[in-house]
Amino acid sequence: MTLVVVGANGYSGSALLRAASRQPDLFQIRAQVRTARAWVKGSNIEYFSGSLEQVDPALFPNTPHILLHLAGKNQDADGSGYEQVNVAGTRALLAHCNAFTRAVLYHSSLSVLGQDPQRHVSNRQPPAPTTALARSRAAAEDLVLAHAGQQSISAYCLRPRFILGKDDAFVMPGLLKLARKGLFIGSGQQQFSIIDVDDYARLILELCQHAMTLYAQGQPEQLPLNVGYEQPLSFATLFETLQPERRAKRRIHYPAAVASACNWLPNSAPDAITHWKLLRKLQALATQLQLIGLDHYGDVSETRKRIHSDLLSRDSADYFRTLATHFKESPCH
């Protein structure tokens, strides 16, 4: 099976290449990266230089393959927004698919459902994005699902919440910082979907096999799929793992209310404090409080039906404790 991977040098993309490189009899990888160097070495990996906006013309082969769209802009450091990369880039990428493209898998996010509490939400839940990033992801999902429907091929828009791992440079370091400050958010009962990045990679490979089977049977499907272990992780477990003394020095009892205030303040304050940097900081704080202070987990039963392993049954609390030990012991953290 040939997999065309865009975003191969990213966090999830690199994990996917590692997983596929261990199965050369099953997978041949055509990986597009921004620089020509081999990010992961493997006899079954061929690299192409390009980006989501400028796809290498030779990337898509004239033999059966599946497109794995793992690329995207996740932070707006330059202030240009997300539409050009995440939406226009996805549209341009899909235009490169050919008659041999058998399925498309898109790395999206549970954030397309909005910032309000999400408790065991169905994968059929309609998108209701509230941030610019989430709106761009939802628009990209629409493009992927519509394209696959027109071409009578399968498409899965994957919606994880937290993708963790030993090389995580964002989520785990942020949680460690929060715990070391003794900052306890909400009641502690709020729960989140989590998955290890290597398990996520294995999940994607299994879904590729399922999609190819559906193509052979002439029964393609196009739908979003929630991603995470079946048992979500609670904030209380997270905090107790990272702060064994269980000392909460400060508490934010009502994170939703504080988040609303952060969003409201710039619109109500004098012009002198509506500087765009302050606005962005307050909006980012509001998003973070909604993310960690409210429930964000989905029903993964439809996802599990489409894979042959039991990797989603992994105990989320045990996994997180093992991961936390690695971060605490690592000199890099």
Side-chain angles (χ1 to χ4, degrees):
M1 181 187 304
T2 298
L3 305 180
V4 173
V5 184
V6 177
N9 54 312
Y11 179 52
S12 298
S14 296
L16 185 126
L17 295 192
R18 291 194 300 270
S21 68
R22 293 190 285 268
Q23 304 179 72
D25 294 338
L26 285 179
F27 301 107
Q28 294 297 312
I29 307 298
R30 298 170 70 87
Q32 180 173 275
V33 294
R34 287 187 176 273
T35 56
R37 75 179 179 88
W39 290 79
V40 175
K41 293 183 179 180
S43 61
N44 58 336
I45 303 176
E46 182 178 2
Y47 285 96
F48 299 81
S49 295
S51 65
L52 186 55
E53 307 94 301
Q54 295 183 319
V55 177
D56 189 314
L59 181 63
F60 286 77
N62 290 322
T63 53
H65 60 269
I66 290 177
L67 169 62
L68 302 184
H69 177 5
L70 308 180
K73 181 179 182 180
N74 299 316
Q75 293 182 319
D76 188 22
D78 58 6
S80 63
Y82 300 96
E83 291 288 317
Q84 185 60 35
V85 175
N86 293 349
V87 184
T90 295
R91 185 180 292 109
L93 175 64
L94 293 172
H96 283 81
C97 293
N98 58 33
F100 296 94
T101 306
R102 299 295 187 250
V104 181
L105 275 70
Y106 171 54
H107 167 63
S108 184
S109 168
L110 199 65
S111 66
V112 299
L113 301 183
Q115 299 298 107
D116 290 335
Q118 297 145 7
R119 301 181 181 93
H120 207 246
V121 290
S122 166
N123 61 302
R124 306 282 183 172
Q125 180 91 359
T130 56
T131 67
L133 174 56
R135 285 191 290 272
S136 71
R137 286 170 169 164
E141 281 193 5
D142 288 342
L143 291 173
V144 168
L145 296 173
H147 173 85
Q150 293 166 2
Q151 301 301 317
S152 298
I153 59 176
S154 291
Y156 298 127
C157 294
L158 307 179
R159 294 176 175 174
R161 180 59 282 179
F162 291 134
I163 303 175
L164 307 178
K166 294 180 179 179
D167 297 325
D168 177 12
F170 298 102
V171 179
M172 279 298 293
L175 295 175
L176 275 168
K177 185 177 180 180
L178 180 147
R180 285 167 179 165
K181 290 182 176 179
L183 184 56
F184 196 93
I185 309 295
S187 68
Q189 299 308 304
Q190 66 269 30
Q191 299 181 91
F192 323 106
S193 290
I194 68 166
I195 191 167
D196 181 79
V197 68
D198 291 323
D199 283 342
Y200 185 41
R202 286 189 283 270
L203 170 71
I204 291 173
L205 294 178
E206 291 190 26
L207 287 173
C208 286
Q209 293 174 301
H210 182 73
M212 197 63 86
T213 298
L214 292 182
Y215 184 88
Q217 296 172 345
Q219 299 177 332
E221 59 180 2
Q222 304 89 32
L223 74 164
L225 290 174
N226 295 331
V227 174
Y229 299 132
E230 291 174 309
Q231 177 58 49
L233 181 74
S234 73
F235 182 84
T237 299
L238 179 157
F239 188 86
E240 290 166 8
T241 300
L242 299 178
Q243 179 66 278
E245 298 84 1
R246 301 184 182 182
R247 289 193 307 236
K249 299 177 183 177
R250 290 179 292 169
R251 286 179 178 266
I252 297 180
H253 293 281
Y254 306 105
V258 177
S260 297
C262 289
N263 281 321
W264 170 84
L265 180 60
N267 297 320
S268 305
D271 290 342
I273 68 167
T274 56
H275 189 278
W276 70 274
K277 287 186 177 180
L278 174 61
L279 174 62
R280 291 179 66 184
K281 286 183 178 180
L282 288 171
Q283 289 176 335
L285 176 59
T287 299
Q288 291 166 1
L289 286 172
Q290 291 166 330
L291 183 60
I292 204 72
L294 303 175
D295 289 301
H296 292 290
Y297 62 96
D299 176 5
V300 298
S301 58
E302 288 299 315
T303 309
R304 186 166 188 181
K305 289 178 183 177
R306 290 164 173 80
I307 61 175
H308 58 263
S309 72
D310 62 351
L311 65 87
L312 296 185
S313 64
R314 189 171 186 176
D315 187 292
S316 61
D318 285 348
Y319 162 72
F320 189 79
R321 292 186 187 102
T322 301
L323 181 65
T325 299
H326 164 79
F327 270 82
K328 289 177 181 179
E329 293 176 350
S330 172
C332 297
H333 302 287

